[in-house]
Amino acid sequence: MKYLIVGLGNIGPEYHETRHNIGFMAVDALAKTAGATFNDGRYGFTATISVKGRQLVLLKPSTFMNLSGNAVRYWMQKENIPLENVLIVVDDLALPFGTLRLKGKGSDAGHNGLKHIAATLGTQNYARLRFGIGNDFPRGGQIDFVLGHFTDEDWKTMDERLKTAGEIIKSFCLAGIDITMNQFNKK
């Protein structure tokens, strides 16, 4: 069984470890624990890890957030991965920092990366792991906030939150979405 785990973010040093790049950070952490390294490929950087006989293709799109669907579609086709084995890891303003929510489908909630993925794939019925980044910004300050860096307070629990995100990703691949949502969405 093969899975495509897509961490959303933007490439380039100016976006490194910004709130909008939490998807990159989650797949980076998962690759690091498995001792895997990312290779530069078409539409993104990929690493492959094995979890109990399941092959996980980790993807960090190089298309920039607003064109993420191009990378997702390409790697699904290249690796012959069905939609039900795709998981998108994405930042979410509606959730407090560090809150993790797995969903089997849903709206893009104004997120341009999810919007482009849905438009490209022709459906919103794909799994996503929403990583809360909070929403402590003044009216009109959303763009600066999501492209800004995490606070010192956020960093105190970052490693633990990224580790939990990795556990959710692995459980999604091993136990399926329903069991994983029941186990982790209550936390």
Side-chain angles (χ1 to χ4, degrees):
M1 291 270 270
K2 202 184 272 192
Y3 293 82
L4 181 64
I5 311 300
V6 184
L8 295 188
N10 286 311
I11 57 169
E14 67 271 32
Y15 298 110
H16 183 68
E17 294 185 341
T18 59
R19 291 180 181 95
H20 219 25
N21 274 29
I22 196 68
F24 277 14
M25 293 167 66
V27 294
D28 279 339
L30 188 57
K32 184 178 178 184
T33 61
T37 54
F38 282 86
N39 299 306
D40 191 358
R42 184 157 183 210
Y43 289 126
F45 300 87
T46 59
T48 304
I49 66 171
S50 182
V51 178
K52 295 185 180 175
R54 305 272 163 69
Q55 188 179 11
L56 281 60
V57 178
L58 309 179
L59 170 64
K60 297 190 297 184
S62 58
T63 55
F64 286 99
M65 188 69 78
N66 298 354
L67 298 173
S68 297
N70 295 341
V72 173
R73 179 178 55 201
Y74 174 80
W75 285 97
M76 282 176 69
Q77 290 171 347
K78 180 176 176 19
E79 296 291 334
N80 198 24
I81 298 173
L83 186 62
E84 60 270 16
N85 288 9
V86 174
L87 177 61
I88 311 295
V89 185
V90 61
D91 59 291
D92 194 317
L93 284 166
L95 297 173
F97 172 77
T99 302
L100 295 158
R101 289 288 177 270
L102 182 64
K103 292 180 70 179
K105 62 183 185 221
S107 77
D108 56 55
H111 193 287
N112 290 331
L114 295 180
K115 197 175 291 183
H116 193 263
I117 292 167
T120 306
L121 300 181
T123 183
Q124 293 186 327
N125 296 336
Y126 56 86
R128 72 277 317 263
L129 175 57
R130 299 162 48 217
F131 194 117
I133 60 169
N135 58 6
D136 186 22
F137 56 87
R139 186 178 174 96
Q142 180 174 338
I143 292 171
D144 289 337
F145 182 79
V146 298
L147 296 179
H149 291 274
F150 291 99
T151 65
D152 290 343
E153 194 63 30
D154 294 341
W155 281 108
K156 288 178 184 172
T157 56
M158 184 67 78
D159 286 346
E160 184 270 327
R161 297 285 69 208
L162 290 172
K163 182 174 183 263
T164 301
E167 291 170 10
I168 293 170
I169 292 166
K170 288 188 272 190
S171 177
F172 168 81
C173 300
L174 295 171
I177 190 160
D178 293 332
I179 290 171
T180 304
M181 285 193 303
N182 287 336
Q183 184 179 350
F184 288 95
N185 282 357
K186 294 177 178 83
K187 292 183 179 179

